[in-house]
Amino acid sequence: MRPRIAVVFHSRRGTMRALALAAAEGARAGGARVRLLRVTDASEDGGPWPEPVAGPDDVLWADGLVLATPTYFGNVSATFKRFLESTSPLWKQGLLADRLVTGMTASTCTHGGREATLLSLHQTAYHWGSWVVGADPADPVFRSLGGNPYGLSAESRPRGTDGTGTGAVEQRAARLLGRRLAELTARARPTIAAPTAAGPVKVTVVHYADSGPARLLAQECAAGARSLGARVRLRRIGGASGSAHGHAAGWSGSPAAPARPADVAWADAVVFGGPARLGALAAPLLDFVQSLEPAAGPGPLSGKPASGFVTTARPHAGSESALLAFHHVLLHGGAVVVPPGYTDPSVFEAGGNPYGTSHPLTAGAVPSHAVREAARHQGRRAALAGDLLRRAAAENAVGTTAAENVREIA
């Protein structure tokens, strides 16, 4: 079978529809079955576009989604937000997990909230438990448009004589983004991806060693991945092999070796973690991850699932903001962000953080059993995602007919 991609857009002046058409074309070129859909509201009197109206069932149908909305005050349009909120019944049943999601937006000003709008789309995907795919940061087409790694951002302009409302480079970028999503989605679906003979999946867990709780959460992530048969490298940033990385309460095993870029290149999936300081992960850990950003061509994180965990001084001292900011860093490296989402009861029991496991120090120097179980789940999730994304799409994908689904745009 082929991956199923839903391209869902809201467009008033035509820019977002033009980008959606190009993304749908790219997804089809990447081997996907595509539904091109619009969202509208009563004030638009049905909207000017002929595409079918999107509904929650279209999200359920899709393996991957391109979400395309104009920027309004640095956020998605109210019309698009209502569509996203209509998926709540499916989310409550856990039916939206493990889809791949990317975003596109446009505004009249270069710095009028385009990045903020894409990042808000990502947050919805994290709550669904979906994986977030950005643009390829090394692609010269996206670099020529301003180098946005979070998705596609374009200039909103009235439709020209060709009815597109966009430039040729922007449409090319939309096609590339649609194709990238389709190809990654094909690899991420067990029924579509080809088996691999590469041996056990490889997971690297990198932590900031000067934080005892972070060391323990790293150990739990590693244990979760190993429980699925993964080969794991537990690596540290900072700390020495002696007292600074001594055995904290609850620690077992030998001290971790220092992290190197080669450990990330070796892995099929990577998890990073450390303390939050001023709403961001500790600077030494960020320095290491930022060194992985490719100057040209794909870097060691490109196309690999990655996520983070965090410790904080208090429950609301960066538990969410530090992880969200770290996801931005991962997208700059070309990674596919695979956070825990609400994909296991352990996430709720540990405080309900869908962006990554978090532990406030006010709860004790040693993370609770619930938090440690959430970290194990995050490690298992990294191993499962890494195993899928290292595979190639199966060669025996079959075509589709109109009878399979009349809403599909062939």
Side-chain angles (χ1 to χ4, degrees):
M1 61 181 295
R2 297 156 64 191
R4 299 176 298 192
I5 302 296
V7 181
V8 184
F9 71 91
H10 176 221
S11 187
R12 289 195 171 124
R13 296 197 293 173
T15 299
M16 296 316 304
R17 179 174 182 263
L19 295 175
L21 287 167
E25 179 185 339
R28 285 194 292 270
R33 299 162 55 184
V34 177
R35 288 184 183 179
L36 180 62
L37 307 157
R38 63 185 170 91
V39 297
T40 189
D41 57 33
S43 66
E44 294 170 320
D45 192 26
W49 318 121
E51 288 76 24
V53 175
D57 286 346
D58 294 301
V59 180
L60 190 61
W61 170 86
D63 300 311
L65 295 108
V66 180
L67 303 178
T69 172
T71 288
Y72 284 93
F73 300 108
N75 212 323
V76 303
S77 67
T79 299
F80 207 86
K81 184 65 163 57
R82 278 189 288 272
F83 164 73
L84 295 175
E85 291 179 357
S86 74
T87 66
S88 291
L90 299 176
W91 165 77
K92 289 179 181 178
Q93 299 175 67
L95 298 177
L96 301 183
D98 297 327
R99 281 154 178 76
L100 277 71
V101 175
T102 193
M104 303 191 299
T105 194
S107 67
T108 55
C109 298
T110 301
H111 302 294
R114 298 176 192 174
E115 294 179 27
T117 298
L118 292 172
L119 297 177
S120 72
L121 285 172
H122 295 176
Q123 291 184 45
T124 295
Y126 298 146
H127 281 255
W128 283 348
S130 294
W131 307 3
V132 168
V133 177
D136 182 351
D139 192 295
V141 175
F142 282 93
R143 290 195 171 193
S144 71
L145 285 177
N148 191 337
Y150 313 128
L152 173 59
S153 58
E155 181 181 350
S156 180
R157 59 173 74 92
R159 283 179 289 166
T161 56
D162 61 355
T164 64
T166 59
V169 176
E170 292 164 326
Q171 291 191 55
R172 184 182 176 193
R175 285 191 291 271
L176 288 172
L177 188 62
R179 180 162 190 152
R180 183 172 197 240
L181 181 73
E183 292 174 346
L184 285 169
T185 301
R187 289 160 53 191
R189 292 269 123 352
T191 56
I192 301 173
T196 179
V201 63
K202 297 175 289 188
V203 178
T204 294
V205 181
V206 181
H207 63 285
Y208 185 56
D210 292 342
S211 166
R215 298 201 301 269
L216 295 177
L217 292 180
Q219 183 186 41
E220 297 296 341
C221 279
R226 289 192 183 105
S227 72
L228 298 183
R231 295 174 58 193
V232 178
R233 289 185 181 180
L234 187 58
R235 296 294 187 258
R236 62 180 170 86
I237 299 293
S241 59
S243 59
H245 193 73
H247 288 226
W251 176 269
S252 61
S254 58
R260 303 168 300 162
D263 296 311
V264 177
W266 168 86
D268 299 307
V270 191
V271 183
F272 301 90
R277 295 174 179 170
L278 303 179
L281 282 181
L285 187 64
L286 284 179
D287 285 343
F288 174 75
V289 181
Q290 289 167 356
S291 72
L292 305 174
E293 183 180 9
L301 279 173
S302 181
K304 296 178 181 178
S307 63
F309 60 86
V310 69
T311 65
T312 59
R314 290 166 295 280
H316 299 294
S319 296
E320 299 176 22
S321 62
L323 287 168
L324 289 170
F326 186 63
H327 292 169
H328 310 164
V329 177
L330 294 175
L331 290 169
H332 278 267
V336 177
V337 179
V338 183
Y342 296 125
T343 55
D344 189 85
S346 64
V347 176
F348 286 98
E349 293 166 6
N353 191 336
Y355 314 128
T357 305
S358 57
H359 167 68
L361 298 181
T362 51
V366 177
S368 68
H369 174 76
V371 171
R372 292 168 78 160
E373 282 299 312
R376 282 181 174 250
H377 171 63
Q378 190 167 350
R380 291 191 297 269
R381 192 161 165 77
L384 287 169
D387 185 40
L388 290 169
L389 285 184
R390 66 179 176 155
R391 305 182 186 200
E395 296 293 335
N396 60 346
V398 297
T400 185
T401 66
E404 287 180 294
N405 202 307
V406 295
R407 292 170 65 83
E408 187 172 318
I409 306 299

